[in-house]
């Protein structure tokens, strides 16, 4: 297993290096002159950016001072996002580059032919010899034009600069917009979910669903405060925090999570673990959120006036002898009552169906977070975002409030969802 991990790690590093070499070649080597200050500066930026990115990823789970993790996280993660969209833009540029070179070559050839055509009558009028012909052999009417000559070095340099400049601008703009979308805080999304077993008295019951806040070296106390303020502004009846609250230990992130104590709802706030809690000390975080006033549902259920609310541990906990236990959480309940389940990962939906759950609330996917990551997320999850039905069970998946790794979202805006339950008896 160790050998396999080493081989996989080396393969990933090799691929990472190859992609950076390609991007450096197109953006720096092909757009600058050898030995120039610009080439040296660009090379330094590429080398430093890739090293910082690798360092940020490697020390995120290492026993190093949290302050060092914070220092490397911002530039390292942003470089990763920039590299992704720079690579995609440069690949598009590969299709545009030959078209530009061909267009320039044809334009130059047409200009040369036109110049020769204008010079021919003048030469014929002064030169002795046989009568001048009416057509010049190089004129377009005399046959196909001569083959386009290869683009000059200066022309290739110009095209490389245009393509590289546009690619870099597109990558910077995409990452900048995506980072702004995360840092300003999640927006509120509202969804109405009808439940057949919900009593008329609970019609309009509102659950604020928040997942994947990912407090850590990048998103800290200020971000947590924005999330709490947004939730409280919706005046929910119940708050459901469905996992991946943190990326780090209680010791490092306890102060960042403090604003969670300000969450207010008529029936309180509930919490279930996500996979990242098991990478950050799940037991300690369960106790911490309890201190902050949230109620952890560890394979447990509570009976609210209108429905049963259950929660299961994340599947990542199976590695620590925990994980979801549906029999414990739902096995002996009255199935004539509606049941709402909090489960971090959508993949447990089939267990929820077997246990008669009416609505499962999940997160985990981030909606893909960075396009085209949504296509990869679709391969691993039954639902990436939104509301879908599986038999008699409905599944709602939030895109999440924060971001993992790069504090950037593209094509998957963050959200806090207010799920309004509707009674079919109303």
């Amino acid at each position: 297993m160790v050998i396999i991990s080493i081989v996989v790690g080396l393969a990933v590093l090799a691929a990472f290096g190859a992609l950076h070499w390609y991007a450096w070649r197109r953006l720096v080597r092909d757009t600058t002159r050898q030995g120039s200050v610009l080439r040296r500066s660009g090379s330094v930026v590429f080398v430093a950016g890739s090293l910082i990115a690798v360092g940020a990823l490697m020390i995120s789970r290492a026993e190093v001072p949290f302050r060092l993790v914070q220092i490397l996280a911002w530039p390292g993660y942003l470089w990763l996002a920039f590299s992704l969209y720079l690579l995609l833009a440069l690949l598009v540029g590969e299709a545009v580059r030959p078209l530009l070179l061909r267009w320039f070559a044809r334009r130059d050839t047409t200009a040369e032919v036109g110049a020769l055509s204008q010079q021919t009558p003048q030469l014929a009028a002064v030169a002795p010899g046989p009568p001048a012909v009416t057509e010049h052999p190089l004129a377009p009417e005399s046959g196909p034009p001569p083959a386009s000559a290869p683009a000059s070095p200066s022309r290739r340099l110009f095209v490389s600069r245009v393509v590289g400049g546009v690619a870099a601008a597109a990558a910077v703009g995409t990452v900048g917009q995506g980072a702004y979308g995360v840092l300003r805080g999640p927006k509120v999304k509202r969804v109405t979910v009808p439940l057949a077993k919900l009593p008329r008295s609970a019609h309009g019951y509102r659950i604020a669903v928040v997942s994947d806040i990912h407090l850590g070296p990048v998103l800290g106390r200020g971000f947590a405060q924005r999330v709490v303020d947004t939730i409280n502004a919706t005046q929910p009846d119940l708050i459901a925090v469905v996992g991946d609250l943190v990326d780090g230990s209680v010791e490092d992130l306890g102060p960042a999570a403090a604003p969670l104590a300000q969450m207010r709802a008529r029936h309180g706030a509930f919490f279930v673990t996500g996979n990242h809690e098991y990478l950050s000390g799940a037991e300690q975080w369960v106790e911490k959120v309890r201190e902050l006033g949230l109620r952890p549902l560890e394979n447990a259920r509570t009976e609210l006036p209108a429905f049963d609310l259950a929660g299961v541990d994340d599947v990542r906990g199976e590695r620590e002898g925990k994980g979801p236990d549906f029999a414990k959480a739902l096995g002996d309940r009255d199935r004539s009552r509606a049941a709402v389940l909090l489960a971090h990962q959508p993949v447990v939906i089939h267990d929820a169906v077997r246990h008669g759950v009416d609505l499962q609330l999940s997160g985990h996917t981030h909606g893909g977070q960075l396009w085209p990551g949504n296509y990869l997320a679709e391969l691993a999850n039954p639902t990436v975002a939104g509301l879908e039905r599986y038999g008699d069970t409905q599944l709602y998946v939030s895109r999440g409030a924060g971001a993992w790794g790069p504090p950037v979202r593209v094509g998957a805006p963050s959200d806090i969802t207010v799920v309004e339950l509707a009674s079919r008896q109303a």
Side-chain angles (χ1 to χ4, degrees):
M1 182 62 72
V2 174
I3 295 177
I4 294 176
S5 299
I6 293 175
V7 171
V8 170
L10 291 175
V12 170
L13 285 175
F16 185 78
L19 293 175
H20 270 72
W21 177 84
Y22 163 75
W24 168 84
R25 179 171 173 264
R26 283 306 193 197
L27 192 62
V28 177
R29 196 195 72 173
D30 291 353
T31 62
T32 59
R33 301 189 184 279
Q34 186 174 4
S36 66
V37 174
L38 286 176
R39 179 171 292 192
R40 289 196 294 269
S41 300
S43 300
V44 169
V45 169
F46 262 81
V47 172
S50 59
L51 290 177
I52 292 174
V54 171
L57 289 173
M58 292 182 66
I59 71 170
S60 61
R61 300 295 174 188
E63 296 295 331
V64 298
F66 185 65
R67 183 57 181 164
L68 177 60
V69 177
Q70 290 178 303
I71 291 172
L72 292 180
W74 270 103
Y77 289 143
L78 287 176
W79 180 264
L80 284 175
F82 170 74
S83 299
L84 169 63
Y85 291 105
L86 177 63
L87 176 64
L88 293 176
L90 289 173
L91 290 176
V92 173
E94 294 296 341
V96 175
R97 186 187 308 274
L99 298 178
L100 287 176
L101 289 172
R102 192 175 305 157
W103 181 80
F104 279 122
R106 287 181 177 177
R107 191 190 68 169
D108 293 345
T109 300
T110 301
E112 292 173 2
V113 170
L116 287 174
S117 298
Q118 291 176 1
Q119 293 174 7
T120 298
Q122 300 174 2
L123 293 174
V126 298
V133 296
T134 58
E135 294 187 63
H136 190 275
L138 293 179
E141 294 79 8
S142 64
S148 299
S152 65
S154 61
R155 185 68 72 201
R156 289 196 299 271
L157 179 62
F158 176 76
V159 170
S160 294
R161 286 176 174 175
V162 169
V163 173
V166 171
V172 170
T174 300
V175 172
Q177 182 66 25
Y180 171 75
V182 171
L183 298 179
R184 74 183 175 191
K187 292 187 175 181
V188 175
K189 179 179 179 181
R190 298 180 184 274
V191 176
T192 299
V193 180
L195 298 181
K197 300 176 186 177
L198 191 73
R200 181 181 303 178
S201 60
H203 182 75
Y205 191 95
R206 292 169 299 168
I207 304 175
V209 181
V210 58
S211 72
D212 303 280
I213 299 175
H214 285 286
L215 299 179
V218 174
L219 302 177
R221 185 182 182 118
F223 183 77
Q225 188 66 60
R226 285 192 288 277
V227 169
V228 170
D229 292 342
T230 302
I231 292 173
N232 288 344
T234 68
Q235 297 182 325
D237 297 301
L238 182 146
I239 299 170
V241 182
V242 288
D244 279 8
L245 171 64
V246 291
D247 279 308
S249 67
V250 170
E251 179 182 1
D252 293 329
L253 296 175
L260 298 179
Q262 303 169 21
M263 291 196 298
R264 296 290 181 266
R266 181 160 61 101
H267 289 148
F270 294 82
F271 170 81
V272 292
T273 55
N275 53 305
H276 281 248
E277 270 72 61
Y278 290 97
L279 299 173
S280 306
E283 291 185 6
Q284 292 84 354
W285 274 112
V286 166
E287 291 305 314
K288 182 63 178 180
V289 298
R290 184 177 282 114
E291 293 175 6
L292 294 172
L294 285 75
R295 179 175 172 182
L297 291 175
E298 300 179 271
N299 296 321
R301 180 180 76 254
T302 183
E303 293 184 1
L304 298 175
F307 60 90
D308 292 342
L309 180 70
V312 291
D313 294 339
D314 185 68
V315 295
R316 179 64 171 75
E318 292 174 350
R319 302 184 185 184
E320 301 180 12
K322 296 184 178 180
D325 189 334
F326 283 85
K328 182 179 178 182
L330 296 161
D332 58 348
R333 75 178 193 87
D334 179 2
R335 289 206 176 194
S336 67
R337 288 168 54 86
V340 176
L341 173 70
L342 310 184
H344 177 64
Q345 297 196 40
V347 294
V348 301
I349 181 60
H350 303 296
D351 292 300
V353 172
R354 284 192 292 270
H355 286 82
V357 169
D358 297 277
L359 173 64
Q360 175 179 318
L361 301 174
S362 298
H364 181 65
T365 68
H366 297 207
Q369 185 169 327
L370 296 171
W371 183 91
N374 55 301
Y375 297 112
L376 295 176
E378 288 175 359
L379 298 176
N381 297 277
T383 297
V384 174
L387 182 67
E388 291 189 0
R389 177 176 287 276
Y390 293 83
D392 294 330
T393 302
Q394 296 182 79
L395 168 64
Y396 180 77
V397 181
S398 168
R399 294 191 190 96
W404 178 80
V408 178
R409 281 177 173 264
V410 177
S414 59
D415 68 63
I416 291 169
T417 304
V418 176
V419 174
E420 184 171 313
L421 304 182
S423 171
R424 292 180 177 173
Q425 305 170 27

